[in-house]
Structures are given as structure tokens and as C-alpha cells.
Amino acid sequence: MAFLADALSRVKPSATIAVSQKARELKAKGRDVIGLGAGEPDFDTPDNIKQAAIEAIHRGETKYTPVSGIPELREAISKKFKRENNLDYTAAQTIVGTGGKQILFNAFMATMNPGDEVVIPAPYWVSYPEMVSICGGTPVFVEATQANKFKLTAEDLDKAITPKTKWFIFNSPSNPSGAAYSHDELKALTDVLLKHPHVWILTDDMYEHLTYGDFKFATPVEVEPKLYERTLTMNGVSKAYAMTGWRIGYAAGPLALIKAMDMIQGQQTSGACSIAQWAAVEALNGTQDFIPENKKIFEGRRDLVVSMLNQATGIECPSPEGAFYVYPSCKGLIGKTAPTGKVIETDEDFVSELLESEGVAVVQGSAFGLGPNFRISYATSEALLEEACKRIQRFCAACK
């Protein structure tokens, strides 16, 4: 009898975490490494949010909380959905988890049976298929090609749905591509989903507030209210509020699903950190003035990176609508020989040789299900981004 669970054989380690860890290890050894793998804003958590946490500590808000979250936060989440997304959810229809990952995991754990399929557009966030596999489901990947700006077409979604489809995962703006769907693009997808009443929709809106130019964010059930009874809308405070380490994610959906997720969480972690929850109350209810300021900085970084990468030999970098990632193609480098003498046969080879030669850590597109590409997080200073892009240009020019 094997000691470790069979499910682990279906799961791969997180490539994004692995890249960040490798960059840290090389830095510890004295290498000059620029890490562009982590999906984490470099901004500090705003002072009003930190102050709310400090005040919560002084009030003695340091005990266990209800499994689904403190009433004040669940009410703030309800108001946020109404204010920003035109969605009516009661506080009882919301749930708070230890980051968005727990929300997603609990939803799958509460609903997945062996053989259930989950449609996942590729490129995808690395954790989606692994969570599905751990929970006994089957990931079904559908390519959202670079030619279509990394956006899934209604026709391809329709083809991917079978009688076994339990969920469709939707992420806009996207990690890793930064692609964001307009209202009309969403409507085309929701029209397909209306034809398949057995399919549930899990929408990951974590990058909602990080869109650029004139782009206007919308979420699927806002576009098509008829999907309300089979949609779980997930969000969190990590990205827009620079609160990654506070570990607060949340969602709203049909009451029966929320209760099932509450039961799972009650036997798993119970409530999220009390102090972090009070900080999240202030994040959602307090001033939002810093969000447009941060967006402007991110947009400038995006434009810098896109411009410089498109000047690199063999690289093609689309300009995304949102998030803080670019997903350039390195197809023009495949088959060339790196400065070490190794032939670049895959995007993983490209990433490995770039790190070895120039000390720039990025993540291979194959980890996100679509290559030959690589992901760069531009959630770091312009000075570092400019230096990293110069190194990438130098590396590409040296490949023969």
C-alpha cells in the first residue's frame, strides 16, 4: 500500500512559485537576478488599511471568527458587489476564505465528483487544473490563441462543453496573459452558457480594478443575469489593494453552494485571520483613491515592457488590457542556439537559458498551457523592468 495519495500523481508543483524560489536561491548565492515571476504588487498596503488592522488588535479582535467571515466583512462584500458590479447578494450569500485559492478549492471540493469535467481556457493560471485534479475532476483545456488576443471564442467554448461538464472557469483580466473581455465578448460566451443549463460558472475577478485605457470591466453574471443561480463570483483584496500577504479572498453565489463551501471550510481551516478580515473591511469600505494612481503606474510599466520586448530579436509581445502581466511569444528564438551552446527547443529552454545567461527570471508559457510564450510580471519598479528588458534584448541578440 502506497503511503502518499494517488491524487498527488496528478498534480504538478506551481511553476510560478518555483521560479520565484529559484530566483531567491540564486540571489542568496550572490547572483545578480531580476525576478519577474511573482504576481505580487510592489506597492505597500495603504496606510488606512494597516491602521484598521492595528485598531482591531487594540480592540482585542484576536479570537476565532465565524467560518464564513465576520459579519462586517460579509456585509462589506455584499455592498461592494452592488456598488461596483450591479449584483444583488445578501451577506449570507458571501463567504470569506484564506485567499482566492481557498475559495476556488472549496468550491471544487464541495461540488466535484469523479469524471466531472471543468472547461479551462488556456493560457490559464497554473493552479486551476491542479485544484480540479486534486478534487477528482478532469480539466478540459481550450486554447485561446495569441491570434485571438488570448481570448476564448464562443464557438470553441461551445465545442468544449459535454454532458460531463460541471464548471467553466473564467478569468478576466487574465493571469497570465492580461487579456480582458469586453461586454460584447462576454455576451457571446454567456449566450453559449445559457444553452447548457447544467454548466456552472466560476469567475475569477481578482484583477478587476487593474484595467487600462478606456476598458470597462464587466463580470459574466452582470452581463447575463439569467446565470445568477449557477455562478460563483470570486474576488479578493490581494492585487488592487496590495494585500497579498493578508490572505483574504471572497466570493458570492447561490446560498446552497455557499453553505456547502462553509461546511468544507469548517472542517479545513475555519475562519480566516481575524485581523486580516478587519483590514479587508477597511479596504472595501474605505477610500479607493489610490487605485487609479496605482493603475496609472502599472499602465506606464506595461507600455515600457511591451515596447522594449517588441524591440528584442525573435520576440512578439501583445499589449494586454489588464492585470500586471505580459505574455510574449518567443517563437522566433525556437531552434536557435543560446550563448551557452544549448539549442533552444522549447519555451522552457528559453526561460532556463535566459536565467543562466542574464539573470532574468520569468515563467515559461508551457506552465500556463500555451506556448512557446513566457510570462513577465511588471509589478516592480520601472528601473528594474528597463534593466531586465535590456538583458532580454541582449540575450535574444546573442542567440544564433
Side-chain angles (χ1 to χ4, degrees), residues 116-122 129 132 138-142 159-162 165:
D116 286 347
E117 295 177 350
V118 179
V119 174
I120 306 174
V132 170
T138 302
V140 175
F141 303 119
V142 189
K159 288 178 181 176
I161 293 173
T162 75
T165 305

Side-chain angles (χ1 to χ4, degrees), residues 154-221:
E155 181 181 7
D156 287 341
L157 172 60
D158 199 26
K159 288 178 181 176
I161 293 173
T162 75
K164 294 182 179 181
T165 305
K166 174 67 68 75
W167 286 99
F168 166 55
I169 299 181
F170 181 76
N171 176 213
S172 171
S174 160
N175 175 5
S177 71
Y181 291 70
S182 68
H183 185 283
D184 290 346
E185 289 167 336
L186 272 177
K187 186 66 169 65
L189 297 182
T190 58
D191 284 349
V192 169
L193 293 164
L194 286 175
K195 293 164 47 182
H196 301 281
H198 66 291
V199 178
W200 282 64
I201 301 93
L202 204 168
T203 176
D204 178 349
D205 295 350
M206 193 64 74
Y207 297 90
E208 169 186 5
H209 292 298
L210 299 177
T211 60
Y212 308 117
D214 297 328
F215 186 89
K216 182 173 172 51
F217 174 84
T219 194
V221 73

Side-chain angles (χ1 to χ4, degrees), residues 137-152:
T138 302
V140 175
F141 303 119
V142 189
E143 283 195 4
T145 63
Q146 184 166 324
N148 202 45
K149 299 182 178 179
F150 301 116
K151 297 178 190 180
L152 185 66

Side-chain angles (χ1 to χ4, degrees), residues 125-141:
W125 180 44
V126 293
S127 292
Y128 292 149
E130 310 311 323
M131 290 180 181
V132 170
S133 295
I134 290 173
C135 293
T138 302
V140 175
F141 303 119

